């Protein structure tokens, strides 16, 4: 019993540290693994389903074969991600909380907002005479090492978790608490200055409003939310749309990168140019005097990153896990939390190679491994 409590405490700590410095998160994860070994006598493991297990094995096999035969071992990010996913799946499979298995998410939410408040406090302290200068100042004065695009991803997820759990919070004036969280989230987003984070926050709130008004109507709109990134990619193929995006974004490097990567994908759409070769192939296709070449720019788009390395096959095998989640849960609030998570991943993948950095990799592995543990299916967020 004591060992199991220590295990729960270690996972709570890990959840709290998830968006802190990678070094902190890694140490908290190591502690969690140590507590897991202490509970070896009650070790538990279950597969989501035979279909998913087969699909996962096919994915890992393709990844290894592609990387060994036509790819390069210089970049092992996808293998690291698979390893993290398996490790965190085992951690969640052995997490047992008698009251509510999702209480651990409260620590994640608190950790995310503490990171935002710490950086805002520092920002205000050094910019008392120029409050407007706080906009988009995250990268300049942050004291917690997490890039703004990744923090925006964490903040949107923390906000969603709070939305689905605030009704169960036993405090007076809960509505005022909800207003406070919305105001705080908007304030932090202003400080972060990430357009993508703001757009996702808007989309998530539209989704939640529809959910609150009419759940039947949501069935009609959900496919549009999920297909949005594909629609955006198709629209960006139009020159006029690229001009509009460049004028909003304020630079043309992203669109140059988009067009170069698009042409690379066309050369070998099904199997790609080899996992681990992505950056080298992109550099070979760029002008030597271009900003992207000089800064060794990555794809800034997870869809393109996967397509360049492993083609359509790899894209399906990686994102198929998220599609699988959509049919994994029955019609309850927990299903909507899962869909919200998938929406966040799909949209942030448009403007960032989310599996390229630690904070993106650990975020996806943490929540995906949790949602795939079907032991939570009947115990949380029902109704």
């Amino acid at each position: 019993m004591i060992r199991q409590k220590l295990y729960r405490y270690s996972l709570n700590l890990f959840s709290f540290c998830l968006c802190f410095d990678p070094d902190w998160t890694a140490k908290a994860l190591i502690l969690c693994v140590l507590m897991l070994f202490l509970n070896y006598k009650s070790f538990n493991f279950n597969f989501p389903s035979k279909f998913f297990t087969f699909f996962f094995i096919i994915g890992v096999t393709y990844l290894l074969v592609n990387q060994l035969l036509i790819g390069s071992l210089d970049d092992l990010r996808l293998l690291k991600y698979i390893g993290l996913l398996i490790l965190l799946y085992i951690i969640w499979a052995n997490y047992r909380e008698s009251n509510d298995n999702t209480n651990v998410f409260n620590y994640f939410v608190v950790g995310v907002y503490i990171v935002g408040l710490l950086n805002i406090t520092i920002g205000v302290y050094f910019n008392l005479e120029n409050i407007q200068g706080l906009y988009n100042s995250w990268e300049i004065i942050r004291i917690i090492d997490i890039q703004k695009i990744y923090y925006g991803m964490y903040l949107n997820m923390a906000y969603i978790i709070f939305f689905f759990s605030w009704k169960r919070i036993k405090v007076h004036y809960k509505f005022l608490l909800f207003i406070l969280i919305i105001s705080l989230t908007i304030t932090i987003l202003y400080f972060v200055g990430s357009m993508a984070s703001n757009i996702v926050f808007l989309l998530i709130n539209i989704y939640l409003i529809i959910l609150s008004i009419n759940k039947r109507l949501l069935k009609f709109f959900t496919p549009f939310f999920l297909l949005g990134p594909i629609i955006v990619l198709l629209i960006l193929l139009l020159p006029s749309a690229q001009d509009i995006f460049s004028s909003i974004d304020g630079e043309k490097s992203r669109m140059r990168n988009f067009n170069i990567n698009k042409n690379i994908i066309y050369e070998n759409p099904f199997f790609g140019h080899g996992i681990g070769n992505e950056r080298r192939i992109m550099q070979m296709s760029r002008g030597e005097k271009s900003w992207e070449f000089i800064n060794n720019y990555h794809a800034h788009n997870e869809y393109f990153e996967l397509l360049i390395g492993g083609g359509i096959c790899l894209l399906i095998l990686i994102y198929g896990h998220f599609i699988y989640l959509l049919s994994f849960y029955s019609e309850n609030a927990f299903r909507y939390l899962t869909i919200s998570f998938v929406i966040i991943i799909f949209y942030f993948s448009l403007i960032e190679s989310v599996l390229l950095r630690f904070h993106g990799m650990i975020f996806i592995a943490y929540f995906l491994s949790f949602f795939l543990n079907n032991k939570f299916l009947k115990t949380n967020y029902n109704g």
Side-chain angles (χ1 to χ4, degrees):
M1 183 65 71
I2 295 176
R3 290 181 179 182
Q4 184 59 223
K5 283 185 177 180
L6 290 174
Y7 184 57
R8 291 201 299 267
Y9 294 153
S10 68
L11 185 52
N12 290 341
L13 177 63
F14 172 60
S15 301
F16 176 79
C17 295
L18 206 64
C19 79
F20 280 73
D21 291 353
D23 185 51
W24 294 21
T25 311
K27 288 177 180 177
L29 178 58
I30 291 172
L31 176 63
C32 207
V33 172
L34 290 175
M35 292 300 105
L36 175 64
F37 282 127
L38 286 178
N39 286 274
Y40 69 93
K41 290 184 178 180
S42 60
F43 188 82
N44 178 58
F45 185 82
N46 57 289
F47 294 99
S49 71
K50 291 181 179 179
F51 170 79
F52 178 83
T53 303
F54 176 76
F55 184 80
F56 184 78
I57 293 173
I58 292 295
V60 174
T61 302
Y62 175 78
L63 194 160
L64 290 171
V65 171
N66 182 293
Q67 192 149 14
L68 289 173
L69 295 183
I70 63 173
S72 169
L73 296 178
D74 293 338
D75 183 359
L76 301 177
R77 72 184 187 108
L78 291 180
L79 289 175
K80 292 177 182 177
Y81 162 68
I82 294 298
L84 263 177
L85 183 61
I86 295 173
L87 175 61
L88 287 170
Y89 184 88
I90 295 173
I91 287 174
W92 280 121
N94 288 274
Y95 177 73
R96 289 180 288 278
E97 173 61 65
S98 58
N99 296 321
D100 184 353
N101 288 315
T102 58
N103 274 339
V104 66
F105 282 172
N106 296 334
Y107 294 90
F108 167 79
V109 173
V110 171
V112 170
Y113 280 101
I114 283 180
V115 168
L117 286 171
L118 281 173
N119 283 319
I120 282 181
T121 301
I122 299 298
V124 171
Y125 179 79
F126 287 105
N127 291 273
L128 288 175
E129 298 179 356
N130 183 21
I131 298 299
Q132 291 182 347
L134 288 175
Y135 177 74
N136 198 21
S137 58
W138 182 273
E139 301 294 340
I140 301 174
I141 58 174
R142 71 184 184 199
I143 60 173
I144 305 295
D145 185 19
I146 177 172
Q147 289 190 346
K148 67 178 185 178
I149 192 66
Y150 293 95
Y151 180 75
M153 185 166 63
Y154 279 70
L155 183 60
N156 273 284
M157 191 65 195
Y159 171 76
I160 291 167
I161 292 172
F162 176 82
F163 178 88
F164 284 109
S165 61
W166 76 282
K167 293 181 180 179
R168 298 180 298 147
I169 299 175
K170 296 180 180 180
V171 297
H172 296 294
Y173 309 110
K174 286 196 296 185
F175 181 74
L176 291 179
L177 175 62
F178 186 63
I179 296 299
L180 174 64
I181 292 296
I182 292 178
S183 303
L184 179 59
T185 305
I186 293 173
T187 301
I188 298 176
L189 284 172
Y190 175 83
F191 180 77
V192 172
S194 167
M195 184 181 298
S197 301
N198 295 334
I199 292 174
V200 171
F201 181 69
L202 176 63
L203 288 173
I204 286 298
N205 276 283
I206 293 173
Y207 182 83
L208 296 178
I209 289 171
I210 297 174
L211 173 62
S212 301
I213 295 174
N214 192 324
K215 292 183 180 180
R216 292 182 180 179
L217 191 62
L218 193 63
K219 291 182 179 180
F220 174 78
F221 281 103
T222 297
F224 291 98
F225 281 99
L226 296 171
L227 292 174
I230 297 177
I231 296 172
V232 171
L233 286 174
L234 293 175
I235 291 175
L236 285 177
L237 294 176
L238 303 173
S240 56
Q242 293 187 10
D243 292 337
I244 294 173
F245 178 85
S246 296
S247 62
I248 296 174
D249 191 50
E251 60 175 348
K252 296 184 178 181
S253 61
R254 282 186 178 271
M255 288 320 311
R256 286 198 303 268
N257 204 34
F258 177 91
N259 289 320
I260 288 173
N261 293 338
K262 175 191 66 177
N263 293 331
I264 293 174
I265 293 168
Y266 287 162
E267 293 173 2
N268 197 347
F270 294 105
F271 303 108
H273 296 267
I275 299 170
N277 290 331
E278 298 88 352
R279 196 74 65 94
R280 181 178 62 83
I281 295 297
M282 283 185 278
Q283 286 291 82
M284 289 173 57
S285 302
R286 294 164 176 164
E288 294 184 0
K289 295 183 179 180
S290 67
W291 187 91
E292 302 84 62
F293 181 87
I294 294 173
N295 290 276
N296 197 17
Y297 212 48
H298 61 80
H300 275 279
N301 184 309
E302 188 59 47
Y303 301 112
F304 280 10
E305 200 84 45
L306 295 174
L307 286 168
I308 291 172
I312 295 173
C313 293
L314 181 63
L315 184 70
I316 293 173
L317 292 170
I318 294 294
Y319 279 84
H321 299 155
F322 305 115
I323 301 298
Y324 175 78
L325 285 181
L326 302 180
S327 60
F328 199 58
Y329 292 96
S330 57
E331 196 66 25
N332 55 35
F334 197 55
R335 169 176 168 79
Y336 302 128
L337 178 63
T338 308
I339 292 174
S340 300
F341 163 70
V342 175
I343 289 174
I344 287 176
I345 298 303
F346 280 12
Y347 282 90
F348 274 95
S349 293
L350 273 175
I351 45 81
E352 184 64 23
S353 301
V354 290
L355 291 175
L356 195 62
R357 297 184 182 276
F358 177 82
H359 277 119
M361 194 182 299
I362 197 74
F363 176 86
I364 294 177
Y366 174 87
F367 284 104
L368 181 58
S369 60
F370 171 82
F371 290 129
L372 287 174
N373 268 285
N374 56 23
K375 68 195 284 291
F376 300 97
L377 186 60
K378 297 179 180 180
T379 57
N380 301 287
Y381 289 103
N382 291 317

